[in-house]
């Protein structure tokens, strides 16, 4: 990806992680981040379009306060965890079977040399 570049600040921990991964996949950190950003935008294209449509609707028919509220709340993630539900799921034999299948798959790919890990 040869295009104009600009300096961007990222947290040191993220920089270290990106550098390690970029070494593994033989890409520059910038190319790796550009690919990640491109994938993110593609995966969330519909969400962005909905947000733009909602903002346009608020500009046409809403109040400034409505627009500000929407902009401030649009993508604040709230994660609620029910500890009892997590424990119950963890103890579920079907969940354990799926996890065991996943572990076995990872082990097979490691033994076959097909798995890159940090």
């Amino acid at each position: 990806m040869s295009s104009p570049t600009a300096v961007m600040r990222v947290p040191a921990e993220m920089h270290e992680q990106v550098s390690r991964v970029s070494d593994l996949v033989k890409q520059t950190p910038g190319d790796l981040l550009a690919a990640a950003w491109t994938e993110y935008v593609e995966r969330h294209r519909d969400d962005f379009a909905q947000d733009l449509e909602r903002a346009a609707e608020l500009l046409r028919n809403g109040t400034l306060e409505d627009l500000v509220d929407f902009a401030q709340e649009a993508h604040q993630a709230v994660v609620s965890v029910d500890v009892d539900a997590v424990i119950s799921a963890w103890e579920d034999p079907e969940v354990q079977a799926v996890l065991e299948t996943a572990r076995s798959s990872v082990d097979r790919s490691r033994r076959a040399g097909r798995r890159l890990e940090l």
Side-chain angles (χ1 to χ4, degrees):
M1 291 183 196
S2 60
S3 58
T5 62
V7 174
M8 181 179 291
R9 296 185 190 277
V10 297
E13 182 180 328
M14 180 185 292
H15 184 272
E16 291 170 14
Q17 293 171 358
V18 169
S19 294
R20 283 185 288 180
V21 173
S22 69
D23 288 343
L24 287 171
V25 297
K26 308 290 191 242
Q27 288 185 318
T28 68
D31 286 346
L32 187 63
L33 287 173
W37 179 253
T38 300
E39 180 180 343
Y40 177 83
V41 169
E42 185 59 36
R43 286 183 180 210
H44 297 280
R45 183 175 308 279
D46 293 339
D47 296 332
F48 296 143
Q50 287 176 343
D51 286 351
L52 288 173
E53 288 174 18
R54 178 69 178 134
E57 174 63 26
L58 289 170
L59 282 170
R60 286 189 297 270
N61 302 316
T63 66
L64 179 58
E65 185 176 318
D66 294 336
L67 182 61
V68 169
D69 288 345
F70 171 73
Q72 290 177 339
E73 296 172 6
H75 291 283
Q76 290 184 356
V78 176
V79 178
S80 299
V81 178
D82 180 342
V83 175
D84 293 331
V86 171
I87 291 169
S88 176
W90 183 255
E91 293 172 346
D92 185 320
E94 289 183 33
V95 171
Q96 289 300 317
V98 168
L99 290 172
E100 185 53 40
T101 300
R103 286 185 198 105
S104 296
S105 177
V106 168
D107 288 341
R108 282 192 306 277
S109 66
R110 282 182 182 139
R111 285 193 301 272
R114 295 187 317 260
R115 185 170 179 86
L116 294 176
E117 298 183 58
L118 300 178

